Amino acid sequence: MDGQQYKALPDDLTLWCVYCGHHADHSEFTTEQQIDRAREAASDFGHQLIHHELERMFKGLSRGSRRTGLSFSFTSQPFHPRPLPGIAEEKLVRVRTCSGCHTNYAIFSEHRYCPVCGQLPATSVAFDTLQAEAARLDALEALPSEAKALLREQGVFTRNWVDTVENVVGVVEALASSLFRAAVPNADALLNGKGAIFQRPGPMAELIANAGFSDVRSALGPQTWQRLLETWAARHLFTHNDGIVDEKYLIRVPGSSARIGQRLVLTEDVCRQALDDAKTLCETLIDVMR
């Protein structure tokens, strides 16, 4: 977290792990390296106090006894604290600002929580996930040619494209469900018995329109909506039929050149278009149900 913002927080504030959502007192998030450093500092401080006290009591004092022939004296040696152990942590490069409490914090990976106010809004999660999907495509494309060739032969690129299409549907489903439940007072009653309706774009659009909101299909336009239908159809095919084209797919995608029994072939361009369309759909859902 930003140092100044952290210092300004109340002492009794509960903090959140940005990854798993564990929330507890500040002390629960102290790392082993920080504890070791604090112990070393406390140990040196204790030794320094003892040294100063002994020096105060005995400095310049010497005693002896003629009867026993024994004597003692005290001499002081300079005290030099040892260097404190360093804290070796991976450098954080991705800095975020919470849209709710405006806290600045850095993260290592995918996250769902703000360290101060907890659960992130569904909108933040959705756009973060779409951005991560695009970054994954970019990372594979940026690999050296030899590495790309090896991964392509092993099916990594194809698997990545399939995962992207499947994840796009999950992002929209989670966002649409969250927005609908927040905007519609009787959402639970309207959703009762409708199953995973937010996984089906047509019924989802009808549900939203019937609840009194604008029709997302009209807001998106026919071309974008048709591409989204094709993305959802591809996702259904890979999730439930290993990508093998069936009659249901051809009904949903009448312009497809694939034939029944063939395995659907995805491309990077198709995935990037799906990401763009999903982002547009998310923005439209937010505007419609605002």
Side-chain angles (χ1 to χ4, degrees):
M1 291 180 58
D2 177 82
Q4 294 302 316
Q5 289 182 334
Y6 178 78
K7 290 179 181 179
L9 294 176
D11 292 337
D12 59 349
L13 179 71
T14 296
L15 291 182
W16 295 69
C17 170
V18 297
Y19 310 110
C20 74
H22 173 71
H23 44 288
D25 182 75
H26 293 232
S27 60
E28 290 291 316
F29 295 93
T30 305
T31 68
E32 288 298 324
Q33 293 186 69
Q34 291 170 332
I35 292 174
D36 290 342
R37 186 177 175 89
R39 285 173 177 165
E40 191 70 41
S43 174
D44 282 351
F45 183 66
H47 281 89
Q48 195 167 11
L49 285 178
I50 294 172
H51 175 83
H52 287 167
E53 185 62 19
L54 289 174
E55 189 175 57
R56 185 186 68 79
M57 292 172 59
F58 297 110
K59 188 175 183 180
L61 178 65
S62 62
R63 292 182 179 178
S65 172
R66 292 181 180 179
R67 184 167 51 184
T68 63
L70 297 176
S71 64
F72 72 87
S73 63
F74 173 81
T75 58
S76 174
Q77 298 293 329
F79 178 81
H80 300 289
R82 294 163 293 181
L84 294 178
I87 296 179
E89 295 178 343
E90 184 179 348
K91 184 178 180 182
L92 290 152
V93 296
R94 188 182 178 204
V95 178
R96 301 299 309 277
T97 300
C98 177
S99 60
C101 66
H102 306 295
T103 297
N104 297 321
Y105 60 97
I107 55 176
F108 285 114
S109 62
E110 185 179 51
H111 72 299
R112 291 290 184 271
Y113 306 88
C114 164
V116 173
C117 62
Q119 180 72 53
L120 291 174
T123 52
S124 297
V125 174
F127 291 120
D128 272 359
T129 305
L130 293 176
Q131 186 179 17
E133 291 295 326
R136 186 170 60 168
L137 293 176
D138 293 341
L140 281 177
E141 191 58 33
L143 291 173
S145 299
E146 185 176 345
K148 286 171 61 177
L150 177 61
L151 293 176
R152 186 177 292 109
E153 291 171 6
Q154 294 177 336
V156 173
F157 278 80
T158 302
R159 185 68 256 173
N160 187 51
W161 297 334
V162 171
D163 289 346
T164 297
V165 168
E166 292 179 336
N167 292 341
V168 158
V169 175
V171 168
V172 174
E173 178 187 10
L175 177 63
S177 176
S178 177
L179 292 174
F180 189 82
R181 293 177 185 277
V184 180
N186 61 333
D188 288 339
L190 294 176
L191 295 173
N192 186 35
K194 289 186 168 57
I197 190 170
F198 296 107
Q199 285 185 5
R200 308 190 301 267
M204 176 186 71
E206 293 174 4
L207 174 72
I208 294 171
N210 292 337
F213 301 101
S214 300
D215 195 320
V216 295
R217 294 167 291 194
S218 300
L220 288 167
Q223 290 184 335
T224 301
W225 182 251
Q226 180 57 36
R227 287 198 303 267
L228 286 166
L229 291 178
E230 294 175 4
T231 297
W232 260 245
R235 176 263 176 193
H236 187 273
L237 205 61
F238 281 102
T239 301
H240 300 288
N241 203 31
D242 193 32
I244 304 300
V245 175
D246 55 17
E247 186 176 356
K248 289 183 179 180
Y249 175 80
L250 293 180
I251 292 174
R252 294 168 178 166
V253 189
S256 175
S257 60
R259 297 181 180 181
I260 293 177
Q262 292 180 341
R263 194 168 192 268
L264 187 64
V265 176
L266 297 178
T267 65
E268 181 181 350
D269 290 340
V270 167
C271 289
R272 290 192 182 275
Q273 184 65 65
L275 286 172
D276 290 341
D277 291 339
K279 181 180 179 183
T280 302
L281 175 55
C282 289
E283 292 170 343
T284 302
L285 289 170
I286 293 170
D287 289 340
V288 164
M289 289 187 281
R290 181 169 294 167

